[in-house]
Short mmCIF file of all heavy atoms in Angstrom, two decimals:
data_model
loop_
_atom_site.label_atom_id
_atom_site.label_comp_id
_atom_site.label_asym_id
_atom_site.label_seq_id
_atom_site.Cartn_x
_atom_site.Cartn_y
_atom_site.Cartn_z
N GLU A 483 149.87 103.26 139.95
CA GLU A 483 150.58 102.09 140.38
C GLU A 483 150.77 102.06 141.89
O GLU A 483 150.66 101.01 142.56
CB GLU A 483 151.94 102.00 139.64
CG GLU A 483 151.72 101.73 138.14
CD GLU A 483 152.83 102.31 137.23
OE1 GLU A 483 153.75 102.94 137.76
OE2 GLU A 483 152.70 102.10 136.03
N LEU A 484 151.04 103.22 142.44
CA LEU A 484 151.24 103.32 143.93
C LEU A 484 149.87 103.11 144.62
O LEU A 484 149.80 102.44 145.66
CB LEU A 484 151.85 104.65 144.32
CG LEU A 484 153.35 104.74 143.85
CD1 LEU A 484 153.92 106.12 144.18
CD2 LEU A 484 154.21 103.66 144.42
N ALA A 485 148.82 103.73 144.10
CA ALA A 485 147.49 103.60 144.68
C ALA A 485 147.03 102.14 144.70
O ALA A 485 146.51 101.60 145.69
CB ALA A 485 146.47 104.44 143.91
N ALA A 486 147.31 101.43 143.56
CA ALA A 486 146.96 100.01 143.50
C ALA A 486 147.69 99.23 144.60
O ALA A 486 147.19 98.16 145.06
CB ALA A 486 147.27 99.47 142.12
N ALA A 487 148.83 99.67 145.00
CA ALA A 487 149.61 99.00 146.03
C ALA A 487 149.26 99.49 147.43
O ALA A 487 149.88 99.06 148.39
CB ALA A 487 151.12 99.14 145.77
N GLY A 488 148.32 100.46 147.50
CA GLY A 488 147.97 100.97 148.82
C GLY A 488 148.92 101.95 149.43
O GLY A 488 148.97 102.18 150.63
N VAL A 489 149.70 102.65 148.53
CA VAL A 489 150.71 103.62 148.94
C VAL A 489 150.22 105.05 148.59
O VAL A 489 149.97 105.35 147.44
CB VAL A 489 152.08 103.36 148.29
CG1 VAL A 489 153.08 104.41 148.63
CG2 VAL A 489 152.60 101.94 148.59
N SER A 490 150.07 105.87 149.66
CA SER A 490 149.73 107.25 149.34
C SER A 490 150.99 108.02 148.99
O SER A 490 152.10 107.61 149.30
CB SER A 490 149.05 107.87 150.54
OG SER A 490 149.88 107.90 151.67
N LEU A 491 150.79 109.15 148.29
CA LEU A 491 151.93 109.93 147.86
C LEU A 491 151.69 111.43 147.96
O LEU A 491 150.53 111.85 148.08
CB LEU A 491 152.32 109.56 146.40
CG LEU A 491 151.28 109.92 145.32
CD1 LEU A 491 151.46 111.32 144.78
CD2 LEU A 491 151.39 108.91 144.20
N PHE A 492 152.77 112.16 147.91
CA PHE A 492 152.73 113.63 147.77
C PHE A 492 153.55 113.93 146.55
O PHE A 492 154.70 113.52 146.50
CB PHE A 492 153.31 114.30 149.05
CG PHE A 492 153.16 115.75 149.07
CD1 PHE A 492 152.10 116.34 149.67
CD2 PHE A 492 154.09 116.56 148.44
CE1 PHE A 492 151.94 117.68 149.72
CE2 PHE A 492 153.98 117.98 148.42
CZ PHE A 492 152.89 118.54 149.09
N ALA A 493 152.95 114.56 145.58
CA ALA A 493 153.61 114.79 144.30
C ALA A 493 154.16 116.22 144.21
O ALA A 493 153.60 117.19 144.65
CB ALA A 493 152.63 114.61 143.16
N VAL A 494 155.35 116.30 143.53
CA VAL A 494 156.01 117.57 143.27
C VAL A 494 156.60 117.46 141.88
O VAL A 494 157.25 116.46 141.58
CB VAL A 494 157.15 117.91 144.28
CG1 VAL A 494 157.84 119.23 143.92
CG2 VAL A 494 156.61 117.96 145.71
N SER A 495 156.39 118.50 141.06
CA SER A 495 157.00 118.51 139.72
C SER A 495 157.94 119.71 139.61
O SER A 495 157.73 120.72 140.24
CB SER A 495 155.93 118.55 138.65
OG SER A 495 155.13 117.39 138.64
N THR A 496 158.93 119.54 138.79
CA THR A 496 159.86 120.62 138.47
C THR A 496 159.80 120.86 136.96
O THR A 496 159.14 120.12 136.23
CB THR A 496 161.32 120.33 138.91
OG1 THR A 496 161.79 119.21 138.14
CG2 THR A 496 161.36 120.00 140.42
N TYR A 497 160.59 121.78 136.48
CA TYR A 497 160.64 122.06 135.08
C TYR A 497 161.11 120.79 134.33
O TYR A 497 160.61 120.53 133.19
CB TYR A 497 161.63 123.19 134.81
CG TYR A 497 161.66 123.66 133.36
CD1 TYR A 497 160.76 124.69 132.96
CD2 TYR A 497 162.53 123.10 132.44
CE1 TYR A 497 160.78 125.11 131.63
CE2 TYR A 497 162.53 123.52 131.14
CZ TYR A 497 161.67 124.55 130.75
OH TYR A 497 161.69 124.91 129.42
N ASP A 498 162.01 120.02 134.86
CA ASP A 498 162.59 118.90 134.19
C ASP A 498 162.02 117.55 134.47
O ASP A 498 162.21 116.60 133.69
CB ASP A 498 164.12 118.82 134.48
CG ASP A 498 164.87 119.94 133.88
OD1 ASP A 498 164.58 120.30 132.70
OD2 ASP A 498 165.79 120.53 134.47
N THR A 499 161.34 117.36 135.60
CA THR A 499 160.93 115.99 135.95
C THR A 499 159.82 116.03 137.02
O THR A 499 159.33 117.06 137.43
CB THR A 499 162.13 115.16 136.41
OG1 THR A 499 161.77 113.80 136.42
CG2 THR A 499 162.61 115.56 137.79
N ASP A 500 159.43 114.80 137.41
CA ASP A 500 158.37 114.62 138.45
C ASP A 500 159.05 113.87 139.63
O ASP A 500 159.91 113.03 139.47
CB ASP A 500 157.25 113.77 137.93
CG ASP A 500 156.49 114.53 136.83
OD1 ASP A 500 156.23 115.75 136.99
OD2 ASP A 500 156.12 113.91 135.82
N HIS A 501 158.54 114.17 140.78
CA HIS A 501 158.97 113.54 142.05
C HIS A 501 157.73 113.07 142.82
O HIS A 501 156.68 113.74 142.79
CB HIS A 501 159.72 114.52 142.94
CG HIS A 501 160.85 115.25 142.24
ND1 HIS A 501 162.15 114.74 142.14
CD2 HIS A 501 160.89 116.44 141.63
CE1 HIS A 501 162.88 115.60 141.49
NE2 HIS A 501 162.14 116.62 141.15
N VAL A 502 157.82 111.98 143.54
CA VAL A 502 156.76 111.57 144.46
C VAL A 502 157.44 111.25 145.82
O VAL A 502 158.53 110.69 145.83
CB VAL A 502 155.98 110.40 143.99
CG1 VAL A 502 155.17 110.72 142.77
CG2 VAL A 502 156.79 109.16 143.69
N LEU A 503 156.76 111.69 146.83
CA LEU A 503 157.22 111.36 148.19
C LEU A 503 156.26 110.35 148.71
O LEU A 503 155.01 110.42 148.52
CB LEU A 503 157.20 112.60 149.08
CG LEU A 503 158.21 113.65 148.71
CD1 LEU A 503 157.55 114.85 148.07
CD2 LEU A 503 159.05 114.06 149.89
N VAL A 504 156.80 109.31 149.37
CA VAL A 504 155.99 108.28 150.06
C VAL A 504 156.51 108.14 151.47
O VAL A 504 157.63 108.44 151.81
CB VAL A 504 156.13 106.93 149.33
CG1 VAL A 504 155.64 106.97 147.88
CG2 VAL A 504 157.52 106.38 149.35
N GLN A 505 155.64 107.77 152.37
CA GLN A 505 156.02 107.56 153.77
C GLN A 505 157.16 106.49 153.80
O GLN A 505 157.15 105.56 153.08
CB GLN A 505 154.83 107.10 154.60
CG GLN A 505 153.83 108.24 154.84
CD GLN A 505 154.42 109.25 155.77
OE1 GLN A 505 155.07 108.97 156.77
NE2 GLN A 505 154.20 110.54 155.47
N ALA A 506 158.08 106.72 154.64
CA ALA A 506 159.26 105.80 154.80
C ALA A 506 158.80 104.37 155.04
O ALA A 506 159.39 103.44 154.50
CB ALA A 506 160.17 106.27 155.93
N ASP A 507 157.76 104.20 155.76
CA ASP A 507 157.22 102.84 156.03
C ASP A 507 156.69 102.15 154.78
O ASP A 507 156.56 100.92 154.77
CB ASP A 507 156.11 102.89 157.09
CG ASP A 507 156.64 103.24 158.49
OD1 ASP A 507 157.88 103.20 158.67
OD2 ASP A 507 155.81 103.58 159.33
N ASP A 508 156.34 102.94 153.76
CA ASP A 508 155.80 102.41 152.54
C ASP A 508 156.83 102.34 151.42
O ASP A 508 156.48 101.88 150.31
CB ASP A 508 154.62 103.34 152.00
CG ASP A 508 153.43 103.23 152.90
OD1 ASP A 508 153.20 102.17 153.57
OD2 ASP A 508 152.64 104.21 152.93
N LEU A 509 158.05 102.71 151.67
CA LEU A 509 159.04 102.77 150.60
C LEU A 509 159.28 101.44 149.92
O LEU A 509 159.24 101.39 148.68
CB LEU A 509 160.40 103.31 151.12
CG LEU A 509 161.51 103.48 150.08
CD1 LEU A 509 161.10 104.39 148.99
CD2 LEU A 509 162.80 103.85 150.74
N GLU A 510 159.49 100.37 150.64
CA GLU A 510 159.72 99.09 150.00
C GLU A 510 158.51 98.66 149.18
O GLU A 510 158.67 98.14 148.03
CB GLU A 510 160.03 97.99 151.05
CG GLU A 510 161.45 98.21 151.64
CD GLU A 510 161.82 97.13 152.65
OE1 GLU A 510 161.32 95.95 152.47
OE2 GLU A 510 162.61 97.38 153.58
N ARG A 511 157.37 98.86 149.66
CA ARG A 511 156.15 98.48 148.91
C ARG A 511 156.06 99.37 147.65
O ARG A 511 155.64 98.85 146.58
CB ARG A 511 154.87 98.67 149.76
CG ARG A 511 153.62 98.08 149.23
CD ARG A 511 152.53 97.88 150.22
NE ARG A 511 152.60 98.75 151.35
CZ ARG A 511 151.57 99.51 151.83
NH1 ARG A 511 150.45 99.43 151.21
NH2 ARG A 511 151.74 100.24 152.87
N ALA A 512 156.34 100.61 147.74
CA ALA A 512 156.29 101.51 146.57
C ALA A 512 157.31 101.10 145.52
O ALA A 512 156.96 100.98 144.31
CB ALA A 512 156.59 102.98 147.00
N VAL A 513 158.50 100.80 145.89
CA VAL A 513 159.53 100.32 144.94
C VAL A 513 159.12 99.04 144.31
O VAL A 513 159.23 98.89 143.10
CB VAL A 513 160.93 100.22 145.70
CG1 VAL A 513 161.91 99.44 144.84
CG2 VAL A 513 161.45 101.54 146.09
N ARG A 514 158.61 98.13 145.05
CA ARG A 514 158.15 96.83 144.55
C ARG A 514 157.03 97.05 143.47
O ARG A 514 157.06 96.48 142.41
CB ARG A 514 157.66 95.94 145.60
CG ARG A 514 157.33 94.53 145.15
CD ARG A 514 157.01 93.50 146.30
NE ARG A 514 156.17 94.06 147.37
CZ ARG A 514 156.61 94.42 148.58
NH1 ARG A 514 157.87 94.37 148.86
NH2 ARG A 514 155.75 94.85 149.49
N ALA A 515 156.06 97.97 143.79
CA ALA A 515 154.96 98.21 142.92
C ALA A 515 155.44 98.80 141.56
O ALA A 515 155.03 98.43 140.50
CB ALA A 515 153.96 99.13 143.58
N LEU A 516 156.42 99.78 141.68
CA LEU A 516 156.90 100.40 140.48
C LEU A 516 157.70 99.40 139.61
O LEU A 516 157.62 99.41 138.38
CB LEU A 516 157.73 101.62 140.80
CG LEU A 516 156.98 102.76 141.48
CD1 LEU A 516 157.89 103.89 141.91
CD2 LEU A 516 155.88 103.31 140.56
N ARG A 517 158.50 98.56 140.29
CA ARG A 517 159.28 97.51 139.51
C ARG A 517 158.33 96.54 138.89
O ARG A 517 158.58 96.16 137.70
CB ARG A 517 160.23 96.83 140.47
CG ARG A 517 161.42 97.68 140.83
CD ARG A 517 162.38 96.93 141.79
NE ARG A 517 163.59 97.73 142.03
CZ ARG A 517 164.32 97.65 143.10
NH1 ARG A 517 164.02 96.71 144.02
NH2 ARG A 517 165.36 98.44 143.28
N GLU A 518 157.29 96.10 139.54
CA GLU A 518 156.33 95.20 138.97
C GLU A 518 155.58 95.77 137.82
O GLU A 518 155.18 95.05 136.94
CB GLU A 518 155.37 94.67 140.06
CG GLU A 518 155.96 93.72 141.07
CD GLU A 518 155.07 93.38 142.21
OE1 GLU A 518 153.91 93.85 142.28
OE2 GLU A 518 155.53 92.55 143.07
N ALA A 519 155.49 97.12 137.83
CA ALA A 519 154.83 97.78 136.67
C ALA A 519 155.80 97.99 135.49
O ALA A 519 155.44 98.57 134.44
CB ALA A 519 154.26 99.12 137.12
N GLY A 520 157.09 97.55 135.66
CA GLY A 520 157.99 97.61 134.59
C GLY A 520 158.99 98.74 134.59
O GLY A 520 159.77 98.92 133.64
N HIS A 521 158.97 99.53 135.65
CA HIS A 521 159.90 100.68 135.77
C HIS A 521 161.22 100.21 136.41
O HIS A 521 161.21 99.27 137.25
CB HIS A 521 159.31 101.79 136.60
CG HIS A 521 157.98 102.23 136.02
ND1 HIS A 521 157.80 102.78 134.79
CD2 HIS A 521 156.71 102.24 136.58
CE1 HIS A 521 156.56 103.07 134.56
NE2 HIS A 521 155.86 102.77 135.66
N GLU A 522 162.27 100.87 136.08
CA GLU A 522 163.56 100.67 136.71
C GLU A 522 163.65 101.53 137.91
O GLU A 522 163.48 102.81 137.81
CB GLU A 522 164.71 100.94 135.76
CG GLU A 522 166.07 100.74 136.37
CD GLU A 522 167.22 101.09 135.41
OE1 GLU A 522 167.02 101.03 134.20
OE2 GLU A 522 168.29 101.46 135.93
N VAL A 523 163.91 101.01 139.09
CA VAL A 523 163.92 101.81 140.30
C VAL A 523 165.30 101.55 140.97
O VAL A 523 165.72 100.47 141.19
CB VAL A 523 162.83 101.46 141.30
CG1 VAL A 523 162.89 102.32 142.51
CG2 VAL A 523 161.46 101.56 140.64
N GLY A 524 165.97 102.72 141.29
CA GLY A 524 167.28 102.65 141.90
C GLY A 524 167.27 102.00 143.22
O GLY A 524 166.21 101.73 143.84
N PRO A 525 168.41 101.70 143.74
CA PRO A 525 168.54 100.93 145.00
C PRO A 525 167.97 101.73 146.16
O PRO A 525 167.95 102.95 146.17
CB PRO A 525 170.02 100.71 145.16
CG PRO A 525 170.65 101.79 144.38
CD PRO A 525 169.77 102.08 143.27
N LEU A 526 167.52 100.97 147.17
CA LEU A 526 166.96 101.58 148.40
C LEU A 526 168.07 102.18 149.24
O LEU A 526 169.16 101.76 149.30
CB LEU A 526 166.16 100.58 149.23
CG LEU A 526 164.94 100.06 148.55
CD1 LEU A 526 164.31 98.98 149.41
CD2 LEU A 526 163.92 101.19 148.31
#
Side-chain angles (χ1 to χ4, degrees):
E483 291 151 359
L484 293 175
V489 176
S490 62
L491 65 88
F492 187 92
V494 177
S495 294
T496 66
Y497 187 90
D498 289 321
T499 195
D500 294 318
H501 308 273
V502 293
L503 293 108
V504 299
Q505 287 290 318
D507 291 346
D508 291 332
L509 180 62
E510 288 184 28
R511 192 163 24 130
V513 167
R514 186 171 46 254
L516 295 175
R517 285 180 177 155
E518 288 174 359
H521 305 298
E522 179 183 333
V523 183
L526 295 175

